[in-house]
Amino acid sequence: MPLIQLKVPATTANLGSGFDTLGMALSLYNIFTVTELLPEGEYTCKISGEGVDELKDARKNMLVTSYIKACEEWGVPVKGFAFESCNAVPLNRGLGSSSTAVVAGVVIANILAGEKFSEAELLRVMTKIEGHPDNVVPCYIGGMTVSCWDGESLRYVRLPALPEDLNVIAAVPDFEVHTEDARKILPESVPFRDAVFNVSHASILCAAWAMGRWDLLRVGMEDRLHQPHRAKLFPGTTGEKFLSEIANHPDCIATAISGSGPTMIAIVHGKAGGLSRAMCKIFTDGGAASHFFVLNCASSGTVAE
């Protein structure tokens, strides 16, 4: 019997206008299992699925580094352990793979410490480790979340999950975009009118989501702060085509770059086949292979099984 087993969802963050603020949990999961306690400072891991080669060094695995940081933050014993990681979330594709490890590491630290700490405290430590809340908050509590972080204090609100008849298509190309590169390409300052544009559109997005006005999501996800810049990291004009052609596809309710990219997401009502093929065709036309997932909004967040 495993000592601890966690089912941790992927996430899509920013959702266009909500840079570093909005995020949604998705029904694609990494499973982390602690199989054995070891002496302090000793860690072993067995990886399957995504990241077999990249994540095989247990000491450098983000689950372990996050676990150690959480233990040190709380002043609790840093126990060693063996763990297995079954990964379905692609690495460096904008679907929150690193956040699943951060969340799992902090949750494991809390469980091994006797579950002393509250949800708010766990989320504070997760955000401190990750640096921003838009992935870790929905990853831990599920659903659609709105968060703000000033470097010390975290505030967050959980909005209703998408209704079951709305799906999220995630088109995942075979190239990577690292978060550091996606942040470096952003400007140091933006025109005042663009800041106002994003505040107004993010506000519409949150209000529409809360009230079930799904017809307003397309407008709410329009963005001028990060997507026009990050689209340049895609091959050729692939990024620009997504933000124009897919947004205007008759089956698309709303579309956005997922996190820092390069995955693109689209919200669709009902059948997803036509829109999925259209999304992957844009990558193909740009010279990149891709695949897609048709997902739901995960309402339950991280679950101990």
Side-chain angles (χ1 to χ4, degrees), residues 118-129:
S118 66
E119 173 185 282
E121 173 60 11
L122 266 65
L123 284 169
R124 182 191 70 82
V125 173
M126 292 170 187
T127 304
K128 184 176 181 180
I129 293 169

Side-chain angles (χ1 to χ4, degrees), residues 13-99:
N14 300 324
L15 297 176
S17 57
F19 182 67
D20 275 4
T21 300
L22 305 182
M24 177 171 53
L26 298 173
S27 58
L28 181 68
Y29 300 92
N30 288 344
I31 308 296
F32 301 102
T33 305
V34 175
T35 58
E36 181 184 3
L37 292 181
L38 300 175
E40 181 176 344
E42 292 187 19
Y43 304 94
T44 65
C45 65
K46 181 180 179 181
I47 310 296
S48 60
E50 298 283 344
V52 171
D53 294 326
E54 297 94 328
L55 304 175
K56 61 185 177 181
D57 186 341
R59 288 291 307 186
K60 295 181 179 179
N61 190 291
M62 194 169 287
L63 181 148
V64 171
T65 59
S66 299
Y67 162 79
I68 293 171
K69 288 177 181 177
C71 290
E72 291 174 346
E73 179 80 13
W74 294 328
V76 299
V78 186
K79 301 173 182 178
F81 55 81
F83 73 97
E84 297 178 0
S85 180
C86 181
N87 300 331
V89 183
L91 269 64
N92 299 316
R93 297 301 203 284
L95 288 171
S97 61
S98 63
S99 293

Side-chain angles (χ1 to χ4, degrees), residues 201-224:
H201 283 68
S203 299
I204 284 289
L205 176 55
C206 293
W209 202 292
M211 299 301 293
R213 287 290 308 275
W214 312 118
D215 57 305
L216 293 175
L217 294 191
R218 180 178 302 185
V219 171
M221 287 192 187
E222 292 177 358
D223 162 75
R224 291 183 182 174

Side-chain angles (χ1 to χ4, degrees), residues 164-187:
E164 292 184 0
D165 60 343
L166 293 185
N167 294 316
V168 180
I169 302 169
V172 186
D174 65 355
F175 61 90
E176 298 181 357
V177 170
H178 292 274
T179 302
E180 298 80 9
D181 297 329
R183 288 191 175 271
K184 286 178 183 177
I185 202 170
L186 300 180

Side-chain angles (χ1 to χ4, degrees), residues 1-2 70 91 103 106 128 198 213 224 240 276:
M1 290 290 292
L91 269 64
V103 168
V106 174
K128 184 176 181 180
N198 267 64
R213 287 290 308 275
R224 291 183 182 174
E240 290 87 346
S276 301

